[in-house]
Amino acid sequence: MSESSLLRQLLDRQEITAVMAAYTRWADMNQPEQQAAVFIEDCRVKYHLTDWIVGREALTEALVTALARYAKTSHHLSNIEIDFDGPDSATAQSAVIAWHRRYDGSEWTLYGRYVDRWTRTGQGWRLAERELRAAGAVGRDDSQLPPIGRASGALT
Amino acid sequence: MSESSLLRQLLDRQEITAVMAAYTRWADMNQPEQQAAVFIEDCRVKYHLTDWIVGREALTEALVTALARYAKTSHHLSNIEIDFDGPDSATAQSAVIAWHRRYDGSEWTLYGRYVDRWTRTGQGWRLAERELRAAGAVGRDDSQLPPIGRASGALT
Amino acid sequence: MSESSLLRQLLDRQEITAVMAAYTRWADMNQPEQQAAVFIEDCRVKYHLTDWIVGREALTEALVTALARYAKTSHHLSNIEIDFDGPDSATAQSAVIAWHRRYDGSEWTLYGRYVDRWTRTGQGWRLAERELRAAGAVGRDDSQLPPIGRASGALT
């Protein structure tokens, strides 16, 4: 790759990383419309073991409901890995710690991973697909969350 | 922007991010003087619902007292968003998980957000202003911490 | 440094950061061979107060045993600081939150710091040395973990 292309790719990484951060900020501010705006119109999103949520309209509705369950949340991303499969398309993974407090004061914490597909639009990089997988959860039954696929490796 | 300017801005982001990391490292090593050295002389800092701390000298004093309360702390930054409003000035936000253990063994964890103003000095990028806002806290009454401003959105 | 060198260094930072993320991903997927593959053949690693683990073969064996203790783990890196001491060598520090659940359901969380030496190989940047230091731990006696060296600073 030319230096010019390498620079452009660093800028693309920077932009995707910033949009990832915005997603968490809108979640923690309980702004589901703005959170949904980081996705493309015909996105696919999976938060649970159930079906994919298809389209930004359905996603917005799902986010309104999901965020309204909580008095407070705090999402913390790390371990971001972005792989470009063309100038306008990338896959990405990131780890997330998401702390939640319900209105009754009960709390749970997710230790998870987002598995993403990103696409460049006229408005910048947007999420085309996001799948949440759970490494585990504290304060909630994590057998009901999609697993990250850890190899079973207990010594025998 | 020219490629040269774009490269410079990536380097500025990198430097600001590194200074953010140094701030947390000095806190966790209980080195308040070095922690305060990432701020400019006439900085403004707000950690609580009370007044702003004004100036690096007052800040150092406040950090000495604050860090001395703890036997151990661990600060973890993520979701860093930096927006430049000129070649030598930027605003930034970041999320923080800060675990604290007091000398009596009691613990509390902050889930928060730093809202910053950064400025370029002769010694590099430094914090001109930092405001801590709390998404919530575990092990401590978080109604006494400045809130992030989450929209109240319980479904009715 | 020339703009070309500055760009190369940003790309090196990006690559090291990505390998750091891969290390945590392989740990959480319980893939010790792949986790060990981010180290050079004659690496040195220290996770405990005991001796250094020397060489990738011994490391792989140690990781197989260590990961097998857990049903689930989740590692979250932040505060990454990388300092180059030549074109092919760097030191780095990062903060880690590592949540662990054993097969009996018991859990512990590490708040720590990796202190690294990185080297460029024909296959890319690899870890030459990694030392884990603990800021503290919850759910486990952290006096048995190598400390980060926090100054003792209780006010008297």
Side-chain angles (χ1 to χ4, degrees), chain A residues 4 7-8 10-11 14 18 21-22 24-25 27-30 67-68 70-77 99 101 103 107, chain B residues 3 6-7 10 13 78-79 81 93 95-97 111-113 135-138 142 148-155:
Chain A
S4 183
L7 174 61
R8 295 290 154 179
L10 282 177
L11 293 164
Q14 159 55 32
T24 63
R25 182 163 43 79
D28 296 336
M29 299 297 276
N30 188 15
L67 297 179
Y70 300 106
K72 298 171 188 278
T73 68
S74 198
H75 289 73
H76 302 262
L77 291 180
W99 169 78
R101 182 183 290 158
Y103 282 92
E107 296 174 356
Chain B
E3 293 206 340
L6 290 166
L7 174 61
L10 283 178
R13 286 181 190 282
S78 54
N79 312 359
E81 297 179 272
Q93 293 207 21
V96 61
I97 296 178
Y111 295 97
R113 178 165 286 279
V138 174
D142 55 22
I148 58 166
R150 179 181 173 93
S152 71
L155 294 181

Side-chain angles (χ1 to χ4, degrees), chain A residues 150-151 153-154, chain C residues 30 65-73 99-103 106 108 140:
Chain A
R150 179 181 173 94
Chain C
N30 189 15
T65 308
L67 297 179
R69 287 195 191 103
Y70 300 106
K72 297 170 188 279
T73 69
W99 169 79
H100 307 74
R101 181 183 290 157
R102 298 189 193 84
Y103 281 94
S106 65
W108 74 282
R140 173 176 172 163

Side-chain angles (χ1 to χ4, degrees), chain A residues 3 6-7 10 13 78-79 81 93 95-97 111-113 135-138 142 148-155, chain C residues 4 7-8 10-11 14 21-22 24-25 27-30 67-68 70-77 99 101 103 107:
Chain A
E3 293 205 340
L6 289 167
L7 174 61
L10 282 177
R13 286 183 189 281
S78 54
N79 312 359
E81 298 178 272
Q93 294 208 18
V96 61
I97 296 178
Y111 295 97
R113 178 165 284 280
V138 174
D142 55 22
I148 57 167
R150 179 181 173 94
S152 69
L155 294 182
Chain C
S4 182
L7 175 61
R8 293 290 155 178
L10 282 177
L11 293 165
Q14 159 55 32
T24 62
R25 182 163 43 77
D28 296 337
M29 298 298 275
N30 189 15
L67 297 179
Y70 300 106
K72 297 170 188 279
T73 69
S74 198
H75 289 73
H76 301 262
L77 291 179
W99 169 79
R101 181 183 290 157
Y103 281 94
E107 295 174 358

Side-chain angles (χ1 to χ4, degrees), chain A residues 6-38:
Chain A
L6 289 167
L7 174 61
R8 295 290 154 179
Q9 196 174 80
L10 282 177
L11 293 164
D12 286 336
R13 286 183 189 281
Q14 159 55 32
E15 189 189 325
I16 291 172
T17 302
V19 181
M20 284 184 177
Y23 169 96
T24 63
R25 182 163 43 79
W26 296 128
D28 296 336
M29 299 297 276
N30 188 15
Q31 298 288 0
E33 283 83 5
Q34 287 172 283
Q35 191 184 7
V38 308

